[in-house]
């Protein structure tokens, strides 16, 4: 199914490209910042391998998936193969080690949904969360990074959408709105569907990369350097894509029946996933299938109140993109 366009795009849309591109450029992290992140990772590796020589650290999340804006925290996964390891014990010990090396604000959050150690490095000024054996996150980080290499418009769109979501207060999973990860999947899905398409469906192609983690097979085409021209028949630039993205989520998405699925490159039905009714706290009011953990709906945090907030925000953004004289300012006004 194609995305229907409810309205004609405004006639002066082209003139919005330059200001959107300059917002995008202002959000790109500097080389200096990237170097500081590496420096902190190296320090952490040194401390961790002293205690656990067999352990490995991986960067995941926005610092490694190409969707990190300037001044983000870093997410680190501590990977260790040991069947009878107790995560809380490891986290507490890790917190001890980090604390005695002058890292600041060290906290072990052993009861969180994803237990982590938090810290701040006074040398680089960077904050960091360390989780244990969250290897699926490392894999989905690689998938997002590979998609980002195919067409720069994905990174441009995702930066603008994330910046909008943060400015408007709809990037807070604890308040029932969506994670950054969910927004990036929404952008990938969108570019898999626009006409002509801008992104392929990597999981639907020949498998050049395959690993199994936590009994989940993560397999897809990862030779993305061969796909650099994939989207070239579509000449739309950032302002049109931002316009169409918000228009889709405001007026064209079928919230009652549809699930967006980057894995299949299609819209699939809630019925096929048995996501039609509320089960415990999962209401499935907006459905975004995780590309690897397919039973996981990233929209599950959304409740009957926050779905209204989200849909109002999509409509607001669509209206601004359609009519406002200065969307690059109005879109990001604090709520
Ligand atoms: N993640 C996941 N499942 C979720 C949420 C997050 O697997 N339901 C993993 C993904 O690998 C994601 C990472 O955790 O990339 C971090 O997610 P998130 O906090 O949404 O944000 P970032 O991508 O790090 O973006 P930012 O910190 O810039 O907001
Ligand atoms: Mg993060």
């Amino acid at each position: 199914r194609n995305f229907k366009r409810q309205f004609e795009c405004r006639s002066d849309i082209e003139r919005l490209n330059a200001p959107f591109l300059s917002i995008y450029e202002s959000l790109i992290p500097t080389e200096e910042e990237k170097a500081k992140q590496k420096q902190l990772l190296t320090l952490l590796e040194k401390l961790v391998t002293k205690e656990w020589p067999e352990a490995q650290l991986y960067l995941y999340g926005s610092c490694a998936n190409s969707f990190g804006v300037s001044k983000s925290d870093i997410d680190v996964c501590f990977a260790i193969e040991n069947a009878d390891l107790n995560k809380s014990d490891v986290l507490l010990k890790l917190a001890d080690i980090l604390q005695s090396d002058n890292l600041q604000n060290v906290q072990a959050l052993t009861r969180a949904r994803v237990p982590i150690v938090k810290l701040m490095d006074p040398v680089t000024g960077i904050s960091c969360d360390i989780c244990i054996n969250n290897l699926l996150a490392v894999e989905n980080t690689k998938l997002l990074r590979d998609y980002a290499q195919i067409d720069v418009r994905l990174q441009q769109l995702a930066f603008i959408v994330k910046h909008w979501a943060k400015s408007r207060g709809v990037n807070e999973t604890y308040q029932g709105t969506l994670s950054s990860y969910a927004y990036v999947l929404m952008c990938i899905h969108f570019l898999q569907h626009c006409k002509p398409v801008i992104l392929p469906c990597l999981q639907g192609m020949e498998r050049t990369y395959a690993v199994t983690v936590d009994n989940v097979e993560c397999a897809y085409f990862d030779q993305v350097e061969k796909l650099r021209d994939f989207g070239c028949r579509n000449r739309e630039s950032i302002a049109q894509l931002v316009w169409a993205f918000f228009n889709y989520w405001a007026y064209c998405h079928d919230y009652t029946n549809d699930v967006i699925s980057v894995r299949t490159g299609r819209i699939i039905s809630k019925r096929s996933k048995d996501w039609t009714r509320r089960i415990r706290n999962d209401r499935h009011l907006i459905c975004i299938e995780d590309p690897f953990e397919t039973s996981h709906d990233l929209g599950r945090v959304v409740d009957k109140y926050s779905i209204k907030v989200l849909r109002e925000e999509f409509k607001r953004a669509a209206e601004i993109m359609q009519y406002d004289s200065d969307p690059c300012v109005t879109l990001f006004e604090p709520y």
Side-chain angles (χ1 to χ4, degrees):
R1 189 156 20 130
N2 302 329
F3 287 166
K4 297 171 273 213
R5 291 220 165 160
Q6 189 97 343
F7 303 120
E8 279 303 305
C9 192
R10 60 195 279 174
S11 55
D12 67 340
I13 192 81
E14 294 287 340
R15 82 173 169 85
L16 302 177
N17 283 323
F20 272 121
L21 283 177
S22 67
I23 294 173
Y24 158 69
E25 274 152 21
S26 72
L27 294 168
I28 298 174
T30 60
E31 286 304 318
E32 188 192 352
E33 219 177 307
K34 285 277 165 204
K36 283 184 176 174
Q37 294 180 347
K38 284 249 166 63
Q39 185 187 336
L40 174 55
L41 183 70
T42 308
L43 168 69
L44 295 173
E45 272 167 345
K46 195 185 89 199
L47 296 174
V48 162
T49 45
K50 226 189 267 174
E51 177 68 34
W52 295 278
E54 72 283 27
Q56 279 202 297
L57 294 186
Y58 297 97
L59 284 178
Y60 74 102
S62 64
C63 57
N65 67 13
S66 316
F67 299 104
V69 303
S70 185
K71 313 219 164 50
S72 301
D73 299 347
I74 68 171
D75 299 300
V76 174
C77 171
F78 173 111
I80 186 163
E81 271 181 53
N82 179 348
D84 21 74
L85 148 146
N86 177 308
K87 275 195 189 178
S88 297
D89 293 347
V90 175
L91 283 173
L92 291 168
K93 184 153 193 187
L94 185 59
D96 254 1
I97 293 171
L98 299 170
Q99 190 125 41
S100 37
D101 201 81
N102 291 328
L103 289 159
Q104 288 176 0
N105 310 341
V106 179
Q107 276 180 311
L109 307 181
T110 54
R111 288 167 190 218
R113 193 178 58 83
V114 179
I116 52 169
V117 174
K118 289 176 110 36
L119 61 94
M120 204 280 280
D121 173 28
V123 179
T124 58
I126 298 176
S127 295
C128 166
D129 291 350
I130 307 177
C131 66
I132 296 182
N133 285 347
N134 190 0
L135 291 170
L136 274 169
V138 176
E139 293 308 324
N140 66 39
T141 294
K142 172 173 156 59
L143 179 70
L144 266 47
R145 186 173 60 237
D146 287 337
Y147 269 113
Q149 285 181 52
I150 300 171
D151 196 301
V152 71
R153 287 172 289 185
L154 169 59
Q155 198 188 37
Q156 294 169 347
L157 178 64
F159 273 34
I160 299 290
V161 169
K162 276 178 67 172
H163 183 49
W164 162 83
K166 284 186 207 291
S167 313
R168 301 298 301 168
V170 288
N171 180 208
E172 309 285 356
T173 48
Y174 66 93
Q175 288 178 351
T177 56
L178 298 168
S179 65
S180 296
Y181 177 55
Y183 282 114
V184 175
L185 291 173
M186 288 158 78
C187 293
I188 295 174
H189 168 78
F190 178 75
L191 299 179
Q192 285 176 331
H193 281 258
C194 52
K195 285 252 158 171
V197 295
I198 291 180
L199 290 180
C201 168
L202 294 177
Q203 288 169 277
M205 298 168 65
E206 178 200 350
R207 297 162 166 212
T208 54
Y209 176 80
V211 293
T212 300
V213 289
D214 301 342
N215 295 320
V216 176
E217 187 179 49
C218 307
Y220 63 95
F221 184 80
D222 78 335
Q223 296 173 0
V224 285
E225 63 286 350
K226 295 185 181 157
L227 299 173
R228 287 276 159 69
D229 295 330
F230 186 89
C232 67
R233 286 203 302 127
N234 184 317
R235 309 294 287 266
E236 289 190 316
S237 67
I238 185 64
Q240 277 157 313
L241 295 171
V242 171
W243 177 91
F245 177 88
F246 285 121
N247 202 52
Y248 172 73
W249 285 100
Y251 304 114
C252 306
H253 181 71
D254 182 347
Y255 288 81
T256 313
N257 298 304
D258 289 355
V259 175
I260 65 159
S261 164
V262 163
R263 171 183 63 99
T264 58
R266 297 206 182 94
I267 283 172
I268 56 183
S269 70
K270 287 195 192 183
R271 211 163 4 91
S272 70
K273 311 234 17 144
D274 201 20
W275 284 353
T276 47
R277 63 217 138 79
R278 175 174 176 183
I279 296 176
R280 285 182 296 278
N281 262 340
D282 294 3
R283 294 178 176 83
H284 305 299
L285 300 173
I286 174 172
C287 293
I288 302 158
E289 182 195 59
D290 187 274
F292 297 134
E293 277 184 288
T294 56
S295 62
H296 193 162
D297 175 9
L298 293 157
R300 70 180 180 180
V301 291
V302 176
D303 60 36
K304 67 176 195 275
Y305 170 74
S306 61
I307 188 68
K308 289 202 182 113
V309 174
L310 266 177
R311 294 186 66 172
E312 283 305 313
E313 283 296 332
F314 289 136
K315 282 186 199 151
R316 173 186 180 275
E319 297 280 302
I320 289 169
M321 289 307 295
Q322 186 74 10
Y323 302 112
D324 198 274
S325 60
D326 204 358
C328 295
V329 174
T330 322
L331 202 55
F332 309 105
E333 265 165 12
Y335 60 107

